């Protein structure tokens, strides 16, 4: 899809993924809960180089969700946590990683409010961190993957109030504006990125259409 694969991590075989979730049963209009877990295991070649064997990674995730219809509209809250164990059986001999193994984790909490089935606002706080590895994270002055910040998003669903357009009720349109604000980026200390610059320099604005 337009990305040069020559130096990207390669998955030469199977990468099994699993997902298991429980959703509470409720009457129409009553709040619902969901609790879930997921995971993935993969054996990979670093930079598509299989000369030193393969690396191994194991991801384990937990998530929860609460959804309710309120007088102000529809409300959704979500929590997620993913932890990855990285075994650098190939990357360390090849000089890609300094440690024999590392870990990486990500946590996020978000809230969504949809008013009148038409106007939505979403806010999320996220944090990513892991083991210190200066070789694996060479652009970070502290050798850390640490980043955290907030995501703000406004949604407009112009055709959603009546269940979609009359000519095709199952279709829908959502227009979005999103802003990602970083407190720390690429292993930097608070308000800075890993190169010593202001973390806000990595803030990103998106405008999108979902059809």
């Amino acid at each position: 899809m337009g990305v040069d694969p020559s130096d990207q991590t390669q998955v030469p075989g199977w990468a099994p993924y699993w997902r298991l979730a429980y959703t509470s049963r409720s009457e129409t209009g009553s709040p619902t809960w969901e609790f879930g877990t997921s995971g993935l295991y993969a054996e990979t070649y670093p930079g598509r180089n299989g000369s030193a064997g393969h690396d191994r990674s194991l991801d384990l995730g937990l998530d929860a969700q609460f959804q309710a219809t309120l007088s102000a509209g529809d409300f959704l809250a979500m929590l997620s946590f993913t932890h990855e164990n990285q075994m650098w059986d190939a990357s360390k001999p090849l000089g890609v990683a300094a440690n024999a193994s590392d870990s990486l984790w990500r946590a996020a909490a978000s809230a969504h409010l949809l008013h009148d089935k038409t106007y939505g606002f979403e806010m999320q706080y996220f944090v990513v961190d892991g083991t210190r590895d200066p070789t694996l994270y060479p652009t970070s002055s502290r050798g850390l993957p640490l980043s955290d910040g907030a995501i703000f998003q406004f949604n407009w669903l112009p055709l959603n109030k009546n269940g979609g357009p009359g000519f095709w009720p199952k279709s829908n349109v959502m227009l979005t504006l999103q802003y990602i604000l970083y407190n720390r980026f690429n292993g930097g200390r608070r308000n800075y990125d890993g190169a010593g610059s202001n973390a806000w320099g990595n803030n990103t604005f998106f405008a999108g259409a979902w059809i």
Side-chain angles (χ1 to χ4, degrees):
M1 301 297 290
V3 177
D4 183 2
S6 58
D7 62 347
Q8 301 296 314
T9 299
Q10 180 185 9
V11 182
W14 293 92
Y17 167 85
W18 63 93
R19 168 70 176 157
L20 180 67
Y22 170 79
T23 303
S24 65
R25 299 180 61 184
S26 67
E27 300 295 331
T28 302
S30 299
T32 60
W33 290 88
E34 177 270 338
F35 299 95
T37 180
S38 59
L40 180 144
Y41 175 79
E43 297 181 349
T44 58
Y45 292 152
R48 305 180 71 84
N49 183 352
S51 63
H54 57 253
D55 295 326
R56 294 170 293 133
S57 63
L58 175 64
D59 289 49
L60 297 172
L62 297 172
D63 62 270
Q65 175 177 297
F66 172 77
Q67 185 171 346
T69 299
L70 309 174
S71 58
D74 299 296
F75 176 76
L76 174 67
M78 301 174 68
L79 298 171
S80 65
F81 177 82
T82 302
H83 184 276
E84 180 176 86
N85 286 321
Q86 305 161 325
M87 285 67 75
W88 304 128
D89 301 336
S91 289
K92 185 177 181 181
L94 292 172
V96 179
N99 302 328
S101 63
D102 287 320
S103 64
L104 184 70
W105 60 268
R106 183 185 192 278
S110 60
H112 312 248
L113 181 64
L114 180 64
H115 176 69
D116 198 29
K117 306 292 185 183
T118 305
Y119 306 100
F121 178 74
E122 305 180 17
M123 182 172 64
Q124 180 187 99
Y125 173 76
F126 65 90
V127 57
V128 179
D129 201 2
T131 310
R132 183 179 182 274
D133 194 322
T135 304
L136 189 63
Y137 308 110
T139 60
S140 171
S141 60
R142 298 196 293 163
L144 292 171
L146 174 62
S147 295
D148 78 309
I151 301 175
F152 304 92
Q153 180 168 312
F154 174 75
N155 303 319
W156 181 39
L157 294 84
L159 306 175
N160 190 57
K161 185 175 181 179
N162 297 315
F167 64 89
W168 191 8
K170 290 186 178 181
S171 67
N172 215 325
V173 173
M174 182 172 70
L175 306 177
T176 67
L177 296 175
Q178 183 188 90
Y179 190 71
I180 304 176
L181 187 152
Y182 287 99
N183 179 44
R184 287 171 292 194
F185 186 82
N186 195 27
R189 300 184 187 278
R190 188 172 299 276
N191 299 326
Y192 290 93
D193 66 12
S197 300
N198 195 313
W200 287 14
N202 301 281
N203 293 355
T204 311
F205 175 77
F206 289 97
W210 177 86
I211 301 174

